[in-house]
Amino acid sequence: MEVSCLWSLIIVYIFRICRVHALLPIPIISLEDKIKINEETKVTCLLPSSECQCLEVELRIITEEKLKNCVSHKGNFSNVTCTLEVTKDMHEVELSCEAHFRTKSKPQRLNIQTEPEFTDCPNKLVWIEGEENSFHCKARGFPPPSVVCVKDSIVYMEGEKFTTLKNMSGDFRCRASNFDAVSKTVTVSVQYEPRISLIIVQPSDSVSEGENVTLICDADAIPPPSYSWHTPTTQLLYDHDNRTIQIKDVKRAHDGFYICIAQNKHGIQMLKQKITVHEPEIVPEVDLGKLTGRNGAEKMEPALFGLLAVLLHSSFYYLF
């Protein structure tokens, strides 16, 4: 029984080998029709079928004679062509062609689990308000890690496009995770053009001649803006950064509009403030002589008698 089984296995094996060989194409040797002595002739070994492209094939021309200038072609209808220098002694020399087939599996990659690691994630980013941006924080590891950046509970996926807002300035926590996790801090600075909220006027925008006035231009911008002014007159005092101007001893020439200009590399904004200058109030002088003359005394007598009556009445009230 064991012998019978052994023979059965041998027969199956031989059958498979024969079946495989029966499916493989047989190469063909190709010679030129007219071959002359002392001339070169081409000898070609050709695989006549393209059905075995999945197999790697090597073609060889077999002969005892010396071949040269052999050129191989792979792909559909693989072949190899060589040159033979013909001599008289080569009559009826045999040439044959062999095909050597090799098969191999499709490649498989060896994947090893590795924890995430940031490969390209800058510590600081500078964005401009209104422009489109995204986080480019690359991380390696297997399985490939996912990367997100979070600030104020708002989550941004790596590579996700968004419009930059002013309030995005600050620290983001970027996290790369697969079966493990790693994180880092990315500081974002958002730059924007100047915005002038107001021009502060001290003490007031309506003053009298001879008073002092201070104007302060209040602008918000990153990077910080430079300041300049358009004014009705040049009789002004500027501080070191031109943000504040002072008017000493206000004149009528100072009346008018004061325009503050704030500018950085992202833009420019202007705001104007009106200063109104009045003539100083004139206080009339009091003529003391009129108050001490006869007419003045006559006017003061009723008032004095009334005051005296009140004092006497109060005295009697406390006595009784």
Side-chain angles (χ1 to χ4, degrees), residues 33-164:
D33 293 336
K34 297 179 180 180
I35 302 175
K36 298 181 180 180
I37 298 174
N38 298 327
E39 291 186 1
E40 291 185 347
T41 184
K42 290 184 178 180
V43 181
T44 301
C45 178
L46 174 67
L47 196 65
S49 174
S50 61
E51 296 178 356
C52 291
Q53 297 181 31
C54 59
L55 302 177
E56 184 178 348
V57 62
E58 179 183 357
L59 297 174
R60 297 177 185 175
I61 299 174
I62 308 301
T63 181
E64 295 179 355
E65 306 299 331
K66 185 177 180 180
L67 300 170
K68 63 179 183 179
N69 301 329
C70 293
V71 178
S72 298
H73 171 73
K74 295 183 178 180
N76 294 338
F77 302 103
S78 300
N79 64 77
V80 58
T81 300
C82 300
T83 301
L84 177 65
E85 291 185 1
V86 179
T87 63
K88 182 178 180 181
D89 298 332
M90 291 182 183
H91 183 64
E92 293 186 350
V93 166
E94 290 186 356
L95 296 98
S96 62
C97 181
E98 288 183 355
H100 298 265
F101 295 94
R102 291 190 296 270
T103 61
K104 62 180 180 179
S105 67
K106 292 182 178 179
Q108 295 289 336
R109 295 184 181 275
L110 181 64
N111 294 318
I112 302 174
Q113 282 194 340
T114 54
E115 65 275 6
E117 177 185 0
F118 284 109
T119 58
D120 182 14
C121 190
N123 296 325
K124 295 183 180 181
L125 294 172
V126 177
W127 294 340
I128 299 174
E129 183 184 23
E131 292 188 355
E132 187 178 72
N133 280 295
S134 63
F135 285 96
H136 295 284
C137 281
K138 305 296 183 182
R140 63 188 173 194
F142 189 84
S146 61
V147 180
V148 297
C149 295
V150 182
K151 178 178 178 288
D152 298 332
S153 300
I154 301 176
V155 179
Y156 299 90
M157 300 296 295
E158 195 279 330
E160 175 188 358
K161 299 291 185 180
F162 51 79
T163 300
T164 303

Side-chain angles (χ1 to χ4, degrees), residues 169-314:
S169 288
D171 291 338
F172 286 78
R173 196 66 175 170
C174 293
R175 176 184 174 92
S177 57
N178 49 19
F179 67 91
D180 201 354
V182 64
S183 61
K184 67 173 297 183
T185 299
V186 176
T187 302
V188 173
S189 175
V190 178
Q191 297 187 352
Y192 49 92
E193 64 183 6
R195 296 178 179 86
I196 305 176
S197 56
L198 78 162
I199 297 176
I200 302 172
V201 182
Q202 297 173 343
S204 171
D205 59 0
S206 180
V207 295
S208 298
E209 287 185 276
E211 295 184 7
N212 298 332
V213 178
T214 300
L215 290 89
I216 304 172
C217 188
D218 187 16
D220 178 33
I222 296 179
S226 60
Y227 293 91
S228 60
W229 294 79
H230 285 315
T231 60
T233 179
T234 58
Q235 299 174 11
L236 306 167
L237 296 176
Y238 293 85
D239 68 350
H240 66 283
D241 61 358
N242 285 345
R243 180 169 174 261
T244 302
I245 57 177
Q246 293 182 337
I247 308 173
K248 300 289 187 180
D249 189 17
V250 172
K251 308 293 185 193
R252 292 291 296 175
H254 292 116
D255 187 282
F257 285 99
Y258 290 74
I259 302 174
C260 173
I261 304 169
Q263 182 177 8
N264 65 9
K265 63 182 180 180
H266 301 300
I268 183 172
Q269 190 181 29
M270 296 182 289
L271 187 66
K272 64 182 179 180
Q273 173 65 49
K274 179 72 166 62
I275 297 295
T276 303
V277 180
H278 304 284
E279 293 183 359
E281 296 183 3
I282 300 175
V283 180
E285 296 182 358
V286 179
D287 189 352
L288 298 178
K290 292 181 179 181
L291 294 177
T292 57
R294 179 60 188 168
N295 293 334
E298 292 176 352
K299 293 179 181 180
M300 293 179 65
E301 285 178 358
L304 292 174
F305 282 119
L307 178 61
L308 182 61
V310 171
L311 292 174
L312 290 173
H313 181 271
S314 299

